[in-house]
Amino acid sequence: MTRKLFAALALSMALSAPAMAFDISGMSDAEKAAFGEAVKTYLMENPEVLVEAIGVLEERQQAAEAQNDKVLVQTNAEDLFDDGYSWIGGNPDGDLTIVEFMDYRCSYCRKAYTEVEELLAKDGNIRFIVKEFPILGQESDLSARFAVAVKQLAGDETYKKVHDELIAFRGSITLESLSRLADEQGVDKDAVLKRMNEEEVTAVLRANHQLAERMRISGTPAFVIGGEMLRGYAPLKTMQQIVAEQRG
């Protein structure tokens, strides 16, 4: 067996079958040096092997991350799907639940909003839960506090209207702009602005942040679709595909 062929075989074994450990410790120093030189020469002449190996490694890492995410969903299922305080939309009796961690000031959340609304309308059998997860500064926090306060004081229907307005809002979020929004929706602005700083609202946001930390979520949007995680924005077709896979 030539050195190049030996190097290729050893490299292939090391990359494609980790369980078949290649033991170099039994070689002499001269054999180790020759082996190393042969591997180097082989890789220089066949760099596509490295590209292929990196691809295999990435596939394995993605599979491991997906499995880890499934475990996270299972472990935190009650807090994700039945926390008792998050807004539930879509079809509350749907056969599959989607949870979204979102920030009203996140541009990709705004983009995802349209996709999610279309998905819910076209499917008709998805239960949808919103988790306010403000991570982009003071305006994000004000928006989330306002939305949660509205839900607690004015109910789910008014919350949905405010949610839709906030996700589309393009100006600066201030107490003044939120007061105007409250007036537009017929909400008691004084009561809402007061509730925004009370423990009832803070407790919701704290719980959402703690849940996100356990789920290893650091950005928005982030979705749980059935038993699978989707980290980041995805177009409608991708979400429909995941929904179909989860049902299947």
Side-chain angles (χ1 to χ4, degrees), residues 164-200:
D164 294 347
E165 291 291 334
L166 287 172
I167 202 70
F169 195 85
R170 291 297 184 268
S172 296
I173 294 293
T174 63
L175 293 179
E176 290 73 20
S177 62
L178 292 175
S179 295
R180 289 194 297 271
L181 178 56
D183 285 338
E184 291 169 2
Q185 298 301 327
V187 178
D188 184 340
K189 63 183 178 184
D190 292 332
V192 169
L193 294 180
K194 180 175 182 294
R195 176 60 70 96
M196 285 171 61
N197 294 314
E198 294 179 343
E199 175 60 19
E200 289 88 345

Side-chain angles (χ1 to χ4, degrees), residues 57-74:
L57 178 61
E58 289 177 344
E59 288 177 1
R60 290 177 180 169
Q61 289 175 333
Q62 290 171 0
E65 289 171 359
Q67 183 58 38
N68 288 339
D69 282 345
K70 290 179 181 179
V71 173
L72 289 174
V73 172
Q74 293 170 358

